[in-house]
Amino acid sequence: MPLRWMLLLWCGWSAASAQPVSVTLKNIRHEFQALNNCAPVTAITLLGYYGTQVTQAQAANAMKDYPGDPQVTSLELAGYLGRAGLRSVIRYAGDAELVRALVARGFPVVLQQRLQTGSNVAHFRTVYGYSKGQFLISDPLLGPSLRLSTAQLMALWQYYNGEYLVAYPPAREAEVRQILGADFSAAANWQHLRQHGEQDVKARPNDPYAWWGLAKAQLRLGDVRAATESFDRAVRLGVPTVYFLYRQEAFEAWTQAGQHQKTVDVTQRALRAYPNSKELTGFYDLASAALRKATVPRSTTGVNGWHPISSD
């Protein structure tokens, strides 16, 4: 194994988990981000760890749809890393123990979280170490040595339903499969997320992000009716407009269910804030075209009495 994958610090071992109780990975390159550049900085952090050097500007130019694009998705990040020779898996319902297991084996873990408590801004962070009760994180905005307690990490992670990305050289895929177990399979991970989501909405019935995670799993598992109901619940509870810039699964569900007015109503509102979003524009155009083709008159309140709720 190349030395850059080895661990810098091993301070004792946990007999219960057969993992070191404290780990810090070396060769973690940090750079403070330019505006809306957390994804490009995350990319150069991962690529640098595995031995490929690119600049923040190069990564941003390759990943963004236009200069100043405020949103790069996990899929776009994975695609860029793939062009550099790394494979990636994006999974959900992650937990602190899984993050420790990956880091202990030499894999930095990218988390999709909210920027800070009370913020609606999405943010990529790279976990590259841990010790008892806390995690060591390279944060493109807050610095190279951000430390979060387990409770803080999990609270910020709920916003994105425990979404994580693991990038690795193809030769190390067997290790990633072993650590993730059943969750290496996307289908199995959607089942895991649905179970997790069902537990979350029982524990936090007024949490729109819990309902969103359940809805996303239901959609990916083919239960469109249940997904639309869960997405509707999330919107009624107060999903902020910016969330639709980062996630568009509700539009997918409403499109499949033929509930195009819902998509038009929400994307219109979101596009007033983010007029250059190709994702929002694409779903708005698709839904508008479907409504133009419809022969059944629509009421002014929308399909089935739908009333979108602004929740910013």
Side-chain angles (χ1 to χ4, degrees):
M1 180 184 297
L3 289 177
R4 61 178 175 270
W5 294 339
M6 298 302 290
L7 304 179
L8 178 63
L9 183 64
W10 296 71
C11 297
W13 288 79
S14 166
S17 62
Q19 291 177 6
V21 297
S22 179
V23 173
T24 302
L25 303 181
K26 68 174 184 177
N27 291 333
I28 296 295
R29 172 187 174 188
H30 180 271
E31 187 171 312
F32 284 99
Q33 68 174 78
L35 182 64
N36 294 321
N37 258 16
C38 68
V41 169
T42 298
I44 68 175
T45 297
L46 292 173
L47 290 174
Y49 177 72
Y50 289 113
T52 300
Q53 301 298 320
V54 297
T55 68
Q56 182 176 164
Q58 288 172 327
N61 289 339
M63 298 169 72
K64 289 178 172 285
D65 297 323
Y66 55 88
D69 181 4
Q71 161 63 346
V72 175
T73 68
S74 298
L75 287 172
E76 289 173 320
L77 173 58
Y80 177 69
L81 296 173
R83 294 194 291 277
L86 297 179
R87 290 182 184 169
S88 299
V89 292
I90 301 167
R91 297 291 183 263
Y92 296 84
D95 58 33
E97 204 51 47
L98 176 63
V99 174
R100 292 188 189 98
L102 286 161
V103 172
R105 292 283 291 272
F107 297 102
V109 185
V110 176
L111 309 185
Q112 178 85 296
Q113 297 183 312
R114 67 194 318 164
L115 178 61
Q116 58 191 14
T117 303
S119 171
N120 292 322
V121 174
H123 195 55
F124 287 118
R125 294 184 165 102
T126 304
V127 181
Y128 68 97
Y130 66 84
S131 57
K132 185 176 181 180
Q134 68 176 2
F135 291 87
L136 179 62
I137 296 168
S138 177
D139 186 302
L141 190 62
L142 300 179
S145 301
L146 175 67
R147 294 183 184 273
L148 294 177
S149 70
T150 301
Q152 290 172 322
L153 181 128
M154 295 304 297
L156 294 170
W157 212 2
Q158 288 177 358
Y159 187 67
Y160 273 94
N161 311 118
E163 178 183 326
Y164 60 96
L165 179 151
V166 184
Y168 55 91
R172 301 193 68 193
E173 184 164 293
E175 294 177 70
V176 177
R177 284 180 177 270
Q178 182 186 43
I179 298 167
L180 296 189
D183 278 324
F184 189 84
S185 161
N189 185 246
W190 294 128
Q191 294 279 3
H192 184 188
L193 179 60
R194 182 171 64 181
Q195 294 168 1
H196 199 283
E198 289 169 347
Q199 295 170 358
D200 286 346
V201 298
K202 287 180 181 178
R204 306 190 306 277
N206 294 320
D207 182 349
Y209 310 112
W211 283 100
W212 195 284
L214 174 59
K216 179 164 182 167
Q218 291 167 330
L219 177 64
R220 296 295 181 244
L221 292 170
D223 193 346
V224 175
R225 179 176 178 178
T228 57
E229 292 174 355
S230 296
F231 281 125
D232 290 353
R233 181 76 170 267
V235 173
R236 287 195 299 270
L237 285 170
V239 175
T241 297
V242 69
Y243 204 72
F244 298 105
L245 176 66
Y246 305 130
R247 284 189 155 181
Q248 293 86 40
E249 296 93 357
F251 308 141
E252 294 181 46
W254 294 336
T255 297
Q256 291 183 37
Q259 298 174 4
H260 304 294
Q261 188 64 45
K262 295 180 182 181
T263 297
V264 167
D265 290 338
V266 176
T267 53
Q268 276 184 328
R269 170 159 51 90
L271 282 166
R272 286 196 291 271
Y274 309 101
N276 294 322
S277 169
K278 76 175 190 304
E279 293 87 1
L280 292 171
T281 300
F283 278 108
Y284 173 80
D285 290 344
L286 182 65
S288 296
L291 288 174
R292 285 195 297 270
K293 293 179 181 178
T295 58
V296 180
R298 295 180 288 115
S299 73
T300 57
T301 58
V303 173
N304 297 326
W306 163 258
H307 294 266
I309 300 174
S310 177
S311 50
D312 283 333

